[in-house]
Amino acid sequence: MPQPGDPAPDFTATTDAGDRVSLSNFRGKKVVLYFYPKDDTPGCTKEACAFRDDIAAFDAKNAIVLGVSTDGEASHRRFKQKHALSFPLIADEDKAVVQAYGVWREKKNYGRVYMGTVRSTFIIDEQGAVARVFDNVKVNGHAQAVLDAL
């Protein structure tokens, strides 16, 4: 997992709109790169809507929000439309981005052990370095904590 001061792993992936984007496309802006387990599940929806509701504050801090999960483009489109999300969602079906950021890890739920995305957020500075890491995030108050850190 990249730590503050490390270069943020660059990637090229597809968004919910079908566009190919690279992290390096956003140099000169702060990037809030947040990883979440699954589209349209209760915690992930609450987190996405909190970022959506504060998007003007992120804009004011010269920060772009990018959500990443291993769901595909079509799932992201439905999720984004259903909840009027105003920022890109990155489809990471091959798990290249979650693995590069070290958030694809063993999880345990009700005695079941499996691999999945650990809810995590990285703030990346204008030069492409990791500025802050939020690992194993709890949803309540997280968007505000990220804003405060910016």
Side-chain angles (χ1 to χ4, degrees):
M1 173 179 279
Q3 295 301 307
D6 292 346
D10 198 10
F11 61 84
T12 300
T14 305
T15 69
D16 56 276
D19 300 322
R20 298 284 291 166
V21 297
S22 298
L23 181 63
S24 56
N25 294 146
F26 302 104
R27 290 275 157 69
K29 288 183 109 31
K30 296 173 191 156
V31 176
V32 174
L33 188 65
Y34 87 93
F35 293 88
Y36 64 98
K38 187 142 184 65
D39 287 342
D40 217 15
T41 56
C44 298
T45 299
K46 186 173 185 177
E47 182 179 29
C49 290
F51 280 118
R52 176 203 63 204
D53 293 347
D54 287 336
I55 203 69
F58 285 100
D59 290 344
K61 292 182 181 266
N62 193 36
I64 184 162
V65 174
L66 299 174
V68 182
S69 84
T70 58
D71 293 308
E73 260 181 79
S75 176
H76 280 345
R77 270 194 301 279
R78 287 188 300 273
F79 182 46
K80 187 172 180 174
Q81 183 175 22
K82 181 176 180 181
H83 299 286
L85 303 179
S86 53
F87 50 85
L89 299 176
I90 305 285
D92 186 28
E93 291 180 279
D94 66 0
K95 300 174 184 63
V97 183
V98 293
Q99 290 175 346
Y101 280 83
V103 301
W104 184 254
R105 301 196 296 251
E106 187 175 273
K107 297 172 79 172
K108 295 177 186 173
N109 191 20
Y110 299 110
R112 192 176 73 116
V113 178
Y114 60 97
M115 295 299 289
T117 301
V118 174
R119 191 182 309 278
S120 305
T121 299
F122 295 80
I123 297 176
I124 300 164
D125 71 18
E126 296 89 341
Q127 290 75 44
V130 175
R132 179 81 188 265
V133 178
F134 298 83
D135 188 28
N136 204 17
V137 166
K138 302 297 179 224
V139 172
N140 289 337
H142 179 60
Q144 186 59 54
V146 173
L147 267 173
D148 293 346
L150 284 168

